[in-house]
Amino acid sequence: MSEHDAVRTTRPPSRLHLALVTGVPFGLFWGVIVALQDGPVGDAGPAAYAILAGASVVAGVLFGAAMALVLGHLQERAVQQSGVPGVVAYGTVRAAVPGPEVLARVAEAAALLPGGRVTAVDAGRALLRTGVSWRSWGERVEVEVLPQGPAARVVLRSRPLVPFTLVDQGRNAENVARLAAWVADLP
């Protein structure tokens, strides 16, 4: 009875984007920390600060390249496994039970997610939240119920809790897949 179809709503970041997003802040942070710790000596002049700025740029480029390789590889592997290229996952499932019953049992669904809990339930939808792990700062999961006669169509959405997340390693696609299987198995 399942019509689960996870689709993307965002594109995955390019390796260059990952390198810039991780490398630029690291280079700036590194340069400021070095300048504040012991910095160039007082009589070194502006040349010492130019060398420090150049070293910060090099550190940022190296760190960004390493992060682009590592994070890019992890996200590509997750895309191959889940088929969802971005960090936002979406799916629809046909439930064999009425919509109010799906919402009444949504706490069962939250228990299927790592660190999951119900944050809100109203007449047509429930909001869930997952816990923090080494892969994620958590996700917002929405379970929307659309009545269709004696059954219901359930729309599932999962997205990162932190809005500027670029890499989720397939965590949102896993959330949607778990909840889709749960909805499809409801008696």
Side-chain angles (χ1 to χ4, degrees):
M1 271 272 201
S2 176
E3 301 172 2
H4 174 64
D5 178 33
V7 297
R8 69 181 158 94
T9 57
T10 59
R11 289 185 16 220
S14 68
R15 297 283 173 109
L16 176 61
H17 190 202
L18 283 173
L20 290 173
V21 167
T22 58
V24 170
F26 179 82
L28 291 172
F29 178 73
W30 187 79
V32 168
I33 292 298
V34 170
L36 291 177
Q37 263 187 344
D38 45 17
V41 289
D43 61 345
Y49 285 100
I51 292 171
L52 177 61
S56 297
V57 169
V58 169
V61 167
L62 293 175
F63 182 81
M67 289 294 100
L69 289 174
V70 171
L71 295 176
H73 172 71
L74 292 173
Q75 188 67 17
E76 285 174 5
R77 190 173 72 186
V79 168
Q80 289 172 350
Q81 292 173 353
S82 69
V84 179
V87 295
V88 177
Y90 166 88
T92 59
V93 183
R94 186 156 176 76
V97 297
E101 185 175 339
V102 172
L103 291 174
R105 296 174 64 182
V106 78
E108 295 173 25
L112 297 173
L113 302 175
R117 67 184 190 280
V118 179
T119 58
V121 179
D122 63 21
R125 72 183 180 139
L127 299 176
L128 311 175
R129 200 157 155 200
T130 66
V132 176
S133 75
W134 70 272
R135 295 189 320 171
S136 166
W137 288 106
E139 294 86 31
R140 292 181 184 151
V141 182
E142 182 180 350
V143 179
E144 184 179 6
V145 177
L146 306 171
Q148 291 184 334
R153 186 171 139 236
V154 180
V155 179
L156 305 165
R157 294 178 193 89
S158 182
R159 67 182 188 277
L161 187 60
V162 178
F164 51 84
T165 299
L166 295 175
V167 176
D168 76 342
Q169 298 176 36
R171 181 86 184 250
N172 288 292
E174 289 173 11
N175 293 341
V176 169
R178 284 182 182 158
L179 294 182
W182 174 78
V183 170
D185 290 343
L186 286 174

